[in-house]
Amino acid sequence: MRTTRLRLAGAVAALLVAAGIGAGPPAQAGHQQPTLSHLAQRHGRYFGSATDNPELVDGPYTALLGSEFDQITPGNGMKWYATEPQQGVFDFSQGDEIVDLARAKRQKVRGHTLVWHSQLPGWLTGREWTAPELRAVLKKHIQTEVRHYRGKVFAWDVVNEAFNEDGTYRESVFYKTLGPGYIADALRWAHQADPRVRLYLNDYNIEGVGPKSDAYYRLAKELKAAGVPLHGIGLQAHLALQYGYPTTLEDNLRRFSRLGLDTALTEVDIRMQLPATEEKLAQQAEWYADLTESCLAVRRCVGITLWDYTDKYSWIPAFFPGEGAALPWDEELRRKPAYFALREALGGK
């Protein structure tokens, strides 16, 4: 898949970065050469980044966020704990801030996420629910949030991380109380609230063909056959060098396309065991390029989103001690070999 030229480019870029040459992130890069998003648009794709509210006070960061990308995903501001901190009391201020920022830059927003087992408010997790009670709570939450953002987001991660690694259903409060039908219900309720928005299921470790992605394939096939409004599968693509590259990614994207579904790489980062070395940075660069080329090769892979674009605000070090350096910009907002590999994969120079 990769060309020798790109491997050499990644290695050379790694050496340049290590030497401190050619690594600046010019805040006005879009005025000098096509941005990643402009390059992606030539292929009919978007190229985006997640962001989060606390970092929006960082001027150089937000300048690059607003110039390099054409799509934004709120990292936390639309999750349940933030949007319904008390039962029936909704607070969309964090999500609204990011939507307003994106609209000012003519960027589109991916809604993330309506139903997830994590980051739930205490009032939801701290008691037992009957099925009718929880069903009513879930419907109200989904429809209130989707209606609030109707016309402001282009897609929703409706259900996030519904399966275990072996392809069995995750034992979330929703699954345990409502059974697997909660997924179809969530999709139907979201569609009722905004018939135009694209509805996705989203998960990690489903990039390659395997038990977990097979479970999503079976579920998607069943949902489509039943007429449930499902439009796409989000493959998070949180990768780690030490675990190997998902070589069946392109085949996996294609099989979901054959079901009539879009796909997207929704939360991309590629972490490594620290310290970062020239060799690891070059390998990381190849992986970023490989992911991008796989998406470009499959017509219904609609776009790529980094899970924030800079190591400065990466979630990785807090969750995986001793790991990091996962993103195409470093903590000083300098471009890393991965950035140059992305440009080349998208047809830039």
Side-chain angles (χ1 to χ4, degrees):
M1 184 187 299
R2 304 297 320 122
T3 64
T4 301
R5 182 169 61 88
L6 182 52
R7 280 194 292 269
L8 288 173
V12 170
L15 291 171
L16 291 174
V17 170
I21 302 171
Q28 303 301 319
H31 296 283
Q32 300 171 10
Q33 58 185 351
T35 63
L36 295 179
S37 61
H38 287 141
L39 292 170
Q41 287 167 15
R42 295 175 183 176
H43 302 276
R45 299 342 192 251
Y46 62 80
F47 203 98
S49 175
T51 192
D52 209 356
N53 301 80
E55 59 219 46
L56 299 182
V57 299
D58 183 337
Y61 165 85
T62 55
L64 195 52
L65 180 71
S67 63
E68 190 76 39
F69 306 99
D70 61 352
Q71 181 268 324
I72 292 181
T73 302
N76 290 294
M78 292 184 180
K79 291 174 179 173
W80 200 319
Y81 81 101
T83 56
E84 194 180 359
Q86 297 174 272
Q87 186 173 358
V89 178
F90 289 86
D91 179 358
F92 296 114
S93 58
Q94 293 183 53
D96 287 351
E97 183 182 19
I98 290 172
V99 167
D100 290 345
L101 181 76
R103 297 184 88 178
K105 296 293 184 178
R106 298 185 178 179
Q107 297 164 310
K108 54 186 184 177
V109 178
R110 183 184 194 88
H112 178 80
T113 176
L114 296 170
V115 187
W116 190 29
H117 67 276
S118 185
Q119 290 182 259
L120 295 170
W123 65 262
L124 182 60
T125 59
R127 55 160 288 186
E128 295 293 321
W129 299 91
T130 66
E133 287 172 339
L134 187 58
R135 183 178 169 83
V137 164
L138 185 58
K139 181 178 181 180
K140 181 176 182 180
H141 178 81
I142 290 171
Q143 295 203 321
T144 302
E145 184 159 10
V146 173
R147 286 192 185 108
H148 179 82
Y149 289 110
R150 184 165 48 197
K152 299 178 180 179
V153 303
F154 77 98
W156 271 107
D157 293 324
V158 178
V159 179
N160 196 45
E161 301 175 5
F163 286 102
N164 297 312
E165 296 303 302
D166 62 0
T168 58
Y169 281 97
R170 185 186 290 276
E171 294 280 328
S172 68
V173 61
F174 307 109
Y175 178 80
K176 289 190 291 186
T177 308
L178 302 174
Y182 83 92
I183 297 174
D185 286 339
L187 290 163
R188 290 190 184 103
W189 293 331
H191 182 68
Q192 289 169 5
D194 185 353
R196 295 185 178 182
V197 76
R198 306 293 284 177
L199 305 179
Y200 281 70
L201 305 178
N202 189 56
D203 213 325
Y204 62 92
N205 287 353
I206 61 168
E207 295 74 34
V209 176
K212 196 174 187 181
S213 61
D214 287 348
Y216 275 99
Y217 183 79
R218 288 191 299 269
L219 175 61
K221 198 171 183 179
E222 293 167 3
L223 293 171
K224 293 288 285 184
V228 176
L230 173 67
H231 306 118
I233 301 294
L235 299 84
Q236 294 181 11
H238 292 296
L239 305 184
L241 295 183
Q242 63 268 31
Y243 298 130
Y245 183 80
T247 56
T248 52
L249 171 62
E250 189 174 319
D251 292 336
N252 200 28
L253 294 173
R254 290 189 188 282
R255 68 170 174 166
F256 285 112
S257 293
R258 287 193 292 269
L259 292 180
L261 295 170
D262 291 342
T263 53
L265 305 180
T266 56
E267 304 183 18
V268 181
D269 50 27
I270 302 172
R271 66 187 188 270
M272 63 186 69
Q273 294 174 326
L274 299 174
T277 64
E278 294 170 13
E279 291 78 14
K280 290 176 185 176
L281 291 171
Q283 184 183 11
Q284 180 190 59
E286 283 197 35
W287 284 26
Y288 268 108
D290 286 344
L291 285 173
T292 302
E293 289 191 346
S294 290
C295 183
L296 295 181
V298 179
R299 183 179 59 85
R300 295 199 68 161
C301 182
V302 297
I304 298 169
T305 306
L306 304 175
W307 204 239
D308 224 320
Y309 69 86
T310 165
D311 295 334
K312 185 175 184 179
Y313 297 118
S314 174
W315 68 293
I316 296 296
F319 284 83
F320 299 96
E323 300 180 42
L327 293 157
W329 280 261
D330 70 12
E331 293 184 359
E332 304 299 323
L333 304 186
R334 293 176 301 198
R335 297 171 296 178
K336 293 159 60 178
Y339 169 84
F340 301 102
L342 285 169
R343 290 193 61 83
E344 187 168 351
L346 290 167
K349 294 180 181 179

